[in-house]
């Protein structure tokens, strides 16, 4: 196994560190909006190590000061290209709350301090690099570039913005996880290839002036509505989204093109998923699993993943509000049990390890090892979902691989506990009572987090989430299993307020359901439109892109605040907002002094004498 030893080093962040490796010049410089943590949960670290493994000289510039070009020059000019990423999270999500207030904490910055990355990080960094080194190629990637690769609705500005590739002075955009694309691009450029002529790498986008576009053949490329059309027409925006969704598949997907005023952006079909052997290799590269030693303050994001294990990539859940489908894909790519156990062994040798593995899974914890028999030759279905409205019979929902993995992890020397407290898809878990018993017996630390998101039938339908009745069945199985095991364990539910399709009446009904079932929770997330999700398309256009039907949408900061408060009706500070919401819903019958009321009537103030 190719893993770290006492002499392993992070990738260089200074010329002095590069020189210590015997490098007088770097081939690729990665510029990231996150602090540099050399750990496989962070995109810049993974791409850096993958490139290094190919014999390339790679350096990192993390969270540079962007008001001038000084920080962008500190590693010199790369031989091949600059690789730019905003970090593990879209910069506008990192910088602003759902109510559009600046965040007070940044999990990916030293000390959790905010303000270490600019708004629209990818564009700003690219402009500064272009200013510093006008002739050097720029490749953009990461979650921000991946999900803003076409014209998209931007919640913070409340308008449709251009593709990031049209706004930034970049040459190529990489979408998806990026290992295959970045290494192929680097190797072809190392052999003398011109970045402007490399237009056939799956999982990449390139751009061309409109005049040149008209002069080249593009019969096999599906044309999307133009930027102007999606700005002017909601139906065009919804049509564009539906087309992107349909072609988001490495097996059956087509290339796509979208005209912009000054350029045409062209997306090649998505890159294939890594094989199990490739995925094992990536996660067994010599990560130090630590922040770069130059940092003097802890980085909060590191603490959440320090003793967790990534088992797979992809998610076939396809929830409307989630963008994983458009970044990691629907098809699951799983590591081998042996590779995961070898990584766990490394954790046990870390001096900070206390015997507890805090998390095991991927985007959804219990999809490890699952496949559909159609994926290899046909890709994921374009006309139907794997789990909604019902679980597809072609899908293998066998939980035995997950159960075997958890059992072997639990039996390792120096491992006391292995927890899977989050990321369970509860409709999928119902397929295996044996998995639920194993989970409840050994792998929950008192509470299991699940995400029904909503109890409103219309809303869950638009979310493409299991109906309330499915959650109730899961809750019953969870309760029954714990009773059998003589354990007192609880469900912690996540709910979402203000999702398209939901109005004040739905919020009142949901609050009543919470009251009647005792499922009150503090874990309520106000729906925040983020690029390239079906829910964001609905929010912006009022149209379900998959059916073309109209969708009711509640907008406005105060209305969204009211809707969230209605699910937190017990909080005294929310009383006036809840009253306003119940009034809008025509449900003032829920205001009063009976036990069925959500809030009490205000006592009349006594008159002063």
């Amino acid at each position: 196994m190719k893993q770290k030893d006492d002499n392993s080093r992070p990738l260089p962040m200074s010329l002095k560190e590069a020189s210590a490796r015997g490098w007088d010049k770097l081939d690729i410089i990665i510029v990231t909006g996150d602090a540099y943590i050399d750990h496989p949960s962070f995109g810049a670290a993974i791409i850096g190590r993958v490139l290094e493994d190919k014999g390339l000289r790679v350096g990192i510039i993390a969270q540079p000061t962007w008001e001038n070009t000084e920080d962008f020059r500190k590693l010199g000019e790369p031989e091949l290209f600059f690789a730019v990423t905003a970090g593990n999270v879209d910069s506008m999500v990192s910088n602003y709350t759902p109510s559009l207030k600046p965040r007070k904490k940044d999990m990916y910055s030293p000390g959790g301090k905010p303000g270490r990355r600019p708004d629209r990080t990818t564009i700003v960094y690219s402009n500064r690099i272009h200013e510093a080194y006008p002739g050097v190629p720029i490749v953009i990637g990461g979650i921000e570039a991946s999900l803003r690769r076409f014209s998209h609705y931007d919640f913070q500005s409340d308008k449709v913005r251009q593709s990031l590739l049209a706004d930034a002075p970049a040459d190529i955009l990489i979408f998806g996880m990026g290992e295959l694309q970045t290494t192929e691009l680097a190797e072809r450029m190392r052999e003398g290839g011109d970045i402007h002529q490399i237009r056939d790498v799956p999982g990449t986008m390139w751009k061309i002036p409109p005049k040149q576009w008209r002069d080249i053949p593009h019969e096999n490329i599906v044309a999307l509505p133009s930027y102007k059309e999606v700005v002017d027409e909601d139906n065009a925006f919804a049509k564009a989204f539906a087309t992107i969704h349909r072609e988001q598949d490495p097996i059956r997907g087509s290339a796509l093109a979208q005209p912009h005023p000054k350029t045409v952006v062209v997306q090649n079909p998505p890159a294939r998923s890594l094989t199990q052997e490739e995925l094992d290799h990536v996660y067994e590269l010599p990560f130090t699993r630590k922040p770069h030693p130059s940092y003097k303050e802890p980085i909060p994001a590191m603490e959440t993943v320090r003793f967790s294990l990534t088992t797979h990539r992809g998610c076939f859940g396809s929830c409307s509000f989630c963008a994983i489908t458009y970044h990691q894909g629907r098809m699951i790519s799983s590591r081998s049990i042996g590779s995961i156990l070898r990584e766990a062994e490394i954790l046990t040798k870390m001096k900070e390890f206390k015997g507890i593995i805090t998390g095991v899974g991927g985007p959804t914890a219990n999809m490890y090892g699952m496949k559909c028999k159609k994926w290899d030759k046909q890709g994921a279905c374009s006309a139907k979902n794997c789990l909604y409205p019902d679980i597809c019979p072609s899908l293998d929902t066998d939980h035995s691989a997950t159960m075997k993995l958890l059992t072997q992890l639990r039996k390792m020397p120096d491992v006391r506990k292995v927890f899977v407290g989050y990321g369970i898809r509860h409709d999928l878990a119902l397929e295996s009572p044996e998995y639920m018993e194993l989970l409840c017996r050994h792998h929950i630390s008192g509470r299991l987090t699940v995400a029904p998101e909503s109890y409103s039938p219309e809303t869950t339908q638009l979310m493409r989430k299991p109906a309330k009745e499915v959650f109730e069945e899961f809750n019953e199985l969870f309760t029954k299993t714990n009773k059998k095991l003589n354990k007192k364990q609880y469900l912690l539910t996540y709910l979402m307020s203000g999702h398209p399709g939901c109005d004040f009446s739905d919020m009142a009904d949901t609050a009543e359901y919470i009251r009647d079932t005792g499922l009150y929770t503090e874990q309520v997330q106000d729906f925040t439109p983020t690029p390239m999700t079906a829910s964001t398309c609905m929010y912006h256009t009022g149209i379900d892109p998959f059916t073309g039907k109209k969708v009711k949408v509640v907008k406005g900061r105060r209305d969204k605040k009211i809707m969230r408060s209605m699910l937190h009706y017990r909080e005294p500070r929310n009383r006036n907002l809840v009253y306003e919401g119940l009034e809008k819903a025509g449900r003032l019958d829920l205001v009063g002094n009976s036990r069925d009321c959500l809030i009490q009537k205000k006592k009349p103030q006594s008159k002063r004498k």
Side-chain angles (χ1 to χ4, degrees):
M1 178 180 178
K2 194 177 186 179
Q3 217 5 295
K4 74 182 186 69
D5 55 35
D6 292 339
N7 296 318
S8 64
R9 296 168 291 183
L11 296 170
M13 287 181 63
S14 69
L15 289 175
K16 182 179 179 181
E17 291 173 34
S19 180
R21 289 171 171 254
W23 298 347
D24 58 354
K25 190 171 185 179
L26 296 168
D27 293 311
I28 296 166
I29 297 172
I30 297 173
V31 186
T32 174
D34 292 341
Y36 171 37
I37 302 175
D38 191 37
H39 185 284
S41 291
F42 301 88
I46 288 181
I47 296 299
R49 288 297 188 182
V50 167
L51 291 169
E52 179 195 41
D53 187 57
K54 296 293 184 181
L56 292 152
R57 300 166 296 178
V58 185
I60 303 275
I61 298 175
Q63 298 189 317
T65 300
W66 62 88
E67 286 82 1
N68 55 56
T69 63
E70 184 177 346
D71 276 359
F72 297 89
R73 295 177 180 271
K74 65 183 181 182
L75 292 183
E77 180 179 330
E79 192 74 31
L80 299 179
F81 58 82
F82 280 97
V84 177
T85 173
N88 270 23
V89 181
D90 185 281
S91 63
M92 302 307 284
V93 177
S94 286
N95 290 353
Y96 297 95
T97 68
S99 58
L100 300 180
K101 295 179 181 178
R103 290 195 188 273
K104 296 179 180 179
K105 189 173 184 179
D106 187 335
M107 295 288 287
Y108 294 91
S109 294
K113 295 175 183 175
R116 296 293 299 269
R117 80 187 76 226
D119 292 352
R120 314 194 191 286
T121 297
T122 306
I123 297 173
V124 174
Y125 285 179
S126 298
N127 280 323
R128 287 292 173 265
I129 292 167
H130 185 65
E131 183 181 346
Y133 300 104
V136 177
I138 299 172
V139 178
I140 57 178
I143 195 77
E144 180 167 279
S146 189
L147 301 184
R148 294 179 183 265
R149 62 188 187 261
F150 290 107
S151 300
H152 56 278
Y153 173 71
D154 180 72
F155 178 58
Q156 287 74 19
S157 62
D158 191 26
K159 67 178 185 180
V160 176
R161 291 182 62 92
Q162 295 191 127
S163 161
L164 225 57
L165 194 55
D167 274 342
D171 300 286
I172 280 184
L173 182 152
I174 289 175
F175 64 96
M177 297 304 287
E179 293 97 343
L180 295 172
Q181 305 95 300
T182 313
T183 52
E184 182 173 351
L185 188 62
E187 288 173 345
R188 286 169 66 169
M189 291 181 68
R190 184 163 55 174
E191 293 168 0
D194 180 354
I195 194 169
H196 302 105
Q197 300 303 316
I198 302 176
R199 294 177 173 175
D200 59 345
V201 179
T204 65
M205 289 184 74
W206 46 280
K207 60 187 176 183
I208 185 171
K211 185 176 181 181
Q212 291 183 28
W213 172 249
R214 290 191 291 269
D215 294 337
I216 65 172
H218 43 265
E219 293 82 4
N220 297 323
I221 301 176
V222 176
L224 295 173
S226 69
Y227 170 72
K228 184 179 187 306
E229 288 174 311
V230 299
V231 169
D232 292 344
E233 304 169 27
D234 289 340
N235 283 325
F237 189 102
K239 178 183 176 182
F241 181 86
T243 304
I244 295 166
H245 174 84
R246 185 179 65 245
E247 304 299 339
Q248 180 62 31
D249 189 275
I251 307 296
R252 55 170 177 74
S254 301
L256 301 171
Q258 186 174 53
H260 285 62
K262 296 182 179 180
T263 192
V264 177
V265 298
V266 184
Q267 175 189 282
N268 294 328
R272 64 172 175 81
S273 301
L274 295 184
T275 65
Q276 183 171 94
E277 293 75 17
E278 290 169 334
L279 200 58
D280 285 353
H281 184 73
V282 167
Y283 282 89
E284 295 187 51
L285 290 171
F287 298 96
T288 66
R289 312 185 76 87
K290 297 177 182 178
H292 189 274
S294 63
Y295 296 116
K296 306 303 180 188
E297 298 177 283
I299 301 164
M302 180 63 199
E303 300 311 309
T304 64
V305 299
R306 186 186 297 273
F307 300 117
S308 66
L309 298 167
T310 298
T311 61
H312 62 282
R313 291 179 177 176
C315 179
F316 49 76
S318 300
C319 300
S320 296
F321 51 81
C322 180
I324 288 174
T325 294
Y326 307 98
H327 189 65
Q328 292 193 15
R330 285 170 62 187
M331 295 185 284
I332 303 299
S333 178
S334 299
R335 295 171 63 188
S336 68
I337 288 179
S339 175
I340 298 166
L341 292 176
R342 289 191 290 272
E343 185 178 359
E345 187 177 357
I346 293 168
L347 300 186
T348 66
K349 290 177 168 52
M350 296 171 65
K351 65 180 182 180
E352 305 93 344
F353 186 67
K354 304 298 182 185
I356 299 175
I357 295 177
T358 56
V360 180
T364 297
N366 56 327
M367 289 185 184
Y368 174 72
M370 293 186 178
K371 291 191 70 174
C372 172
K373 58 188 177 184
K374 297 181 180 179
W375 284 349
D376 289 341
K377 294 184 178 179
Q378 301 176 33
C381 297
S382 62
K384 62 180 180 179
N385 298 308
C386 300
L387 297 181
Y388 185 85
D390 300 300
I391 296 176
C392 177
S394 297
L395 185 69
D396 176 12
T397 59
D398 184 5
H399 282 68
S400 60
T402 301
M403 294 170 66
K404 182 178 179 180
L405 171 63
L406 292 174
T407 299
Q408 292 195 29
L409 284 170
R410 194 177 68 250
K411 291 180 178 180
M412 288 182 67
D414 302 317
V415 173
R416 294 190 293 113
K417 294 285 185 180
V418 179
F419 290 133
V420 185
Y422 59 91
I424 299 295
R425 180 82 186 203
H426 58 274
D427 53 344
L428 200 58
L430 280 170
E431 296 290 295
S432 177
E434 298 83 7
Y435 169 71
M436 284 300 298
E437 182 166 336
L438 180 77
L439 202 66
C440 293
R441 186 185 294 274
H442 295 294
H443 300 290
I444 300 174
S445 60
R447 295 189 304 181
L448 176 65
T449 299
V450 293
E453 304 293 358
S454 175
Y455 303 120
S456 164
E458 183 176 352
T459 307
T460 53
Q461 182 180 8
L462 290 169
M463 288 179 166
R464 294 192 289 187
K465 288 286 286 186
K468 175 180 67 177
E469 291 75 17
V470 177
F471 170 73
E472 290 173 335
E473 186 180 351
F474 176 82
N475 192 7
E476 183 180 349
L477 176 61
F478 181 79
T479 303
K480 180 181 175 181
T481 303
N482 280 295
K483 186 176 181 180
K484 173 184 173 181
L485 299 172
N486 197 28
K487 284 178 170 283
K488 289 186 177 181
Q489 300 189 121
Y490 307 94
L491 286 182
L492 179 64
T493 55
Y494 276 90
L495 296 178
M496 184 179 292
S497 64
H499 187 275
C502 179
D503 59 17
F504 296 102
S505 179
D506 293 308
M507 288 286 96
D509 291 343
T510 300
E512 282 194 285
Y513 182 78
I514 291 170
R515 175 202 65 198
D516 295 341
T517 57
L519 289 170
Y520 190 85
T521 178
E522 294 298 325
Q523 308 301 321
V524 177
Q525 173 67 46
D526 181 18
F527 168 69
T528 305
T530 52
M532 203 171 276
T533 71
S535 299
T536 297
C537 178
M538 295 178 209
Y539 179 88
H540 171 60
T541 65
I543 299 169
D544 180 343
F546 305 121
T547 65
K549 295 180 179 179
K550 292 289 185 181
V551 176
K552 57 189 177 186
V553 179
V554 174
K555 295 185 179 181
R557 290 194 201 180
R558 182 167 181 83
D559 283 347
K560 287 171 70 66
K561 187 175 182 180
I562 289 171
M563 296 179 86
R564 179 171 180 167
S565 297
M566 291 175 75
L567 302 187
H568 283 159
Y569 60 85
R570 290 183 186 175
E571 292 294 325
R573 67 177 183 273
N574 289 338
R575 195 265 171 203
N576 290 342
L577 291 170
V578 175
Y579 183 92
E580 191 173 341
L582 294 174
E583 188 174 38
K584 288 174 179 282
R587 293 300 309 276
L588 290 180
D589 57 296
L590 296 175
V591 180
N593 298 320
S594 75
R595 64 189 306 171
D596 289 335
C597 291
L598 299 180
I599 56 174
Q600 293 186 336
K601 286 184 177 179
K602 279 189 174 180
K603 295 180 180 179
Q605 294 182 346
S606 58
K607 295 181 180 180
R608 292 183 179 179
K609 293 181 180 179

